Amino acid sequence: MDPSALLRAPEDHWDIFCPVVDNYGDVGVCWRLARQLVTEHGIAVRLWIDDLSSARRLIPSLDPSLDGQTVRGVDIRAWTSTFPDAPVGAVVIAAFAASLPESFLEAMAQRSPRPAWINLEYLSAEDWVAGCHRLPSPHPRLPLVQHFFFPGLDARTGGLLREADYAARRRAFSREAFRQALELPPEQPGERMVSLFTYENPALPELLELWSKSPLPVCCLVPEGRVLPGLAAHLGLSGLRAGDKILHEALTVCVLPFVEQTGYDELLWACDLNFVRGEDSFVRAQWAELPFVWHIYAQEEDAHLVKLQAFITRYLDGVEPAVELALRDFWLAWNRGEGVAAAWPSFAACLPLLKLHGPAWSACLQETGDLAANLVRFCKVEIE
């Protein structure tokens, strides 16, 4: 590859800077946004990632040894400490309060016209988000202005990422074909299929024991990830890997290979209940319109529980109090790592009502518009 090609880019391209904090969630959001900007809005995107090895799990064709490569129309670059002399795009997105390289900031200040500079924040359902969305923040030294852009759950925010072909893909999906492709055991009468994509959790053994004693069969699909060591320990195994299928009384555990984003959507659609974590899988669970449990990324002084409660309040607005109480109790028990056994029966009893609630919640979210389209409109119309 011609090294000078790394320094060339269309003048109207967009730069996205993605710091990898939580392995997959951060890359997941940025990779999804980059692809949408390319495929749905015709924008040339250069995606800077500071940990290409982690990104490869979500982008299987990515080669971490290369400083620059194009994957599915997105120009992916290695974000290293020795940052290259690269041309600045018309829009620069710093995801999750990323600190941009000083040399790149200087180049942004010298560009004419100066780029739209966006701080793409984490998703939160808290009330203060609407007041901060789209606010300007001048740089203390350079003639640059950064604007905060918040994903969110209503029209006062930037909305959520959702591809234009999502509904069509969902309609074409076959749960039976999904099971056959993974060589899963035949579905049993009354079986509950659950996906488990979560952080390490001391409550996991308690939950697995509940499922193993269930009067109806439970099939738990577990993508490769951080939860496998704890799962293996509970089952009395030295380890687990993709392809393993373990029968433990009423519970069948099937370990799946880590899947890219389209495959993960299908996993969510196939299940009756989805355990998700972080941000990207959390959003996809809402689009799936099925009952789910959110394991939020833990913060100091339990600040994450405030965010968790804020979402529950919005998500279940108008739902009967007994359902809200059951979900709130179980979600808090799961996130605190204790009390899961006591909270599970009431939560499980409410799953049919939560399944009915899912489509209404999804429709409400769609009224806000897609985050990628809202971001394009903001950068090309409102800032300019």
Side-chain angles (χ1 to χ4, degrees), residues 320-335:
E320 62 180 84
V323 174
E324 179 179 356
L325 179 62
L327 182 142
R328 191 181 298 273
D329 284 350
F330 186 78
W331 280 30
L332 287 172
W334 182 245
N335 278 274

Side-chain angles (χ1 to χ4, degrees), residues 79 146 188 206 248 326:
W79 178 6
Q146 179 179 223
Q188 303 177 57
E206 191 176 353
H248 185 63

Side-chain angles (χ1 to χ4, degrees), residues 219-368:
C219 180
C220 183
L221 307 183
V222 189
E224 289 179 305
R226 292 167 54 171
V227 76
L228 284 190
L231 182 59
H234 174 73
L235 297 173
L237 303 172
S238 59
L240 287 167
R241 60 183 181 180
D244 287 346
K245 295 182 177 66
I246 312 298
L247 180 62
H248 185 63
E249 300 181 64
L251 172 64
T252 301
V253 174
C254 301
V255 182
L256 309 182
F258 192 92
V259 294
E260 49 77 41
Q261 290 177 328
T262 300
Y264 185 69
D265 279 336
E266 294 177 349
L267 172 62
L268 295 175
W269 300 335
C271 292
D272 304 299
L273 174 63
N274 293 299
F275 284 70
V276 295
R277 72 182 213 197
E279 180 168 325
D280 190 52
S281 61
F282 166 53
V283 171
R284 305 314 286 189
Q286 294 174 68
W287 292 137
E289 302 181 358
L290 294 163
F292 65 98
V293 178
W294 183 25
H295 197 177
I296 190 171
Y297 190 80
Q299 295 178 303
E300 294 182 1
E301 300 181 356
D302 287 342
H304 60 292
L305 296 182
V306 175
K307 296 180 179 180
L308 185 77
Q309 296 267 28
F311 174 76
I312 293 172
T313 298
R314 287 190 178 228
Y315 176 52
L316 296 182
D317 182 33
V319 174
E320 62 180 84
V323 174
E324 179 179 356
L325 179 62
L327 182 142
R328 191 181 298 273
D329 284 350
F330 186 78
W331 280 30
L332 287 172
W334 182 245
N335 278 274
R336 289 170 173 157
E338 59 184 13
V340 164
W344 171 255
S346 295
F347 178 66
C350 290
L351 291 179
L353 292 176
L354 289 170
K355 183 176 181 179
L356 293 175
H357 175 64
W361 175 250
S362 172
C364 179
L365 293 177
Q366 290 177 61
E367 292 178 359
T368 302

Side-chain angles (χ1 to χ4, degrees), residues 41-376:
H41 299 279
I43 295 172
V45 175
R46 190 170 55 184
L47 175 60
W48 300 91
I49 304 176
D50 66 358
D51 183 356
L52 292 178
S53 295
S54 291
R56 188 176 187 180
R57 299 299 300 275
L58 281 173
I59 315 172
S61 60
L62 184 68
D63 185 345
S65 68
L66 299 179
D67 288 337
Q69 57 204 289
T70 299
V71 181
R72 297 182 64 177
V74 178
D75 181 3
I76 301 178
R77 308 288 181 94
W79 178 6
T80 60
S81 56
T82 54
F83 198 78
D85 180 15
V88 175
V91 176
V92 176
I93 299 175
F96 317 121
S99 296
L100 301 184
E102 190 62 29
S103 61
F104 197 80
L105 282 171
E106 296 282 356
M108 287 169 60
Q110 295 172 15
R111 188 186 191 278
S112 180
R114 294 192 179 94
W117 179 15
I118 302 295
N119 179 6
L120 181 62
E121 282 285 356
Y122 287 103
L123 170 64
S124 178
E126 295 171 283
D127 290 336
W128 62 264
V129 166
C132 295
H133 178 55
R134 306 193 301 181
L135 282 183
S137 175
H139 190 277
R141 179 175 55 86
L142 298 172
L144 296 169
V145 177
Q146 179 179 223
H147 287 83
F148 293 97
F149 204 88
F150 281 84
L153 308 175
D154 60 48
R156 301 172 300 162
T157 67
L160 302 176
L161 290 171
R162 179 185 168 103
E163 298 80 10
D165 67 348
Y166 182 88
R169 290 195 296 114
R170 177 67 187 275
R171 288 192 297 270
F173 173 74
S174 165
R175 174 164 162 156
E176 182 179 355
F178 175 86
R179 292 185 67 106
Q180 292 176 352
L182 290 178
E183 299 181 349
L184 297 177
E187 188 167 359
Q188 303 177 57
E191 178 185 86
R192 173 176 288 143
M193 192 147 71
V194 180
S195 75
L196 186 66
F197 182 58
T198 181
Y199 301 117
E200 301 89 343
N201 195 322
L204 180 62
E206 191 176 353
L207 183 63
L208 294 173
E209 195 60 27
L210 276 172
W211 290 345
S212 68
K213 304 297 183 184
S214 170
L216 296 173
V218 177
C219 180
C220 183
L221 307 183
V222 189
E224 289 179 305
R226 292 167 54 171
V227 76
L228 284 190
L231 182 59
H234 174 73
L235 297 173
L237 303 172
S238 59
L240 287 167
R241 60 183 181 180
D244 287 346
K245 295 182 177 66
I246 312 298
L247 180 62
H248 185 63
E249 300 181 64
L251 172 64
T252 301
V253 174
C254 301
V255 182
L256 309 182
F258 192 92
V259 294
E260 49 77 41
Q261 290 177 328
T262 300
Y264 185 69
D265 279 336
E266 294 177 349
L267 172 62
L268 295 175
W269 300 335
C271 292
D272 304 299
L273 174 63
N274 293 299
F275 284 70
V276 295
R277 72 182 213 197
E279 180 168 325
D280 190 52
S281 61
F282 166 53
V283 171
R284 305 314 286 189
Q286 294 174 68
W287 292 137
E289 302 181 358
L290 294 163
F292 65 98
V293 178
W294 183 25
H295 197 177
I296 190 171
Y297 190 80
Q299 295 178 303
E300 294 182 1
E301 300 181 356
D302 287 342
H304 60 292
L305 296 182
V306 175
K307 296 180 179 180
L308 185 77
Q309 296 267 28
F311 174 76
I312 293 172
T313 298
R314 287 190 178 228
Y315 176 52
L316 296 182
D317 182 33
V319 174
E320 62 180 84
V323 174
E324 179 179 356
L325 179 62
L327 182 142
R328 191 181 298 273
D329 284 350
F330 186 78
W331 280 30
L332 287 172
W334 182 245
N335 278 274
R336 289 170 173 157
E338 59 184 13
V340 164
W344 171 255
S346 295
F347 178 66
C350 290
L351 291 179
L353 292 176
L354 289 170
K355 183 176 181 179
L356 293 175
H357 175 64
W361 175 250
S362 172
C364 179
L365 293 177
Q366 290 177 61
E367 292 178 359
T368 302
D370 164 61
L371 185 143
N374 290 339
L375 185 58
V376 169

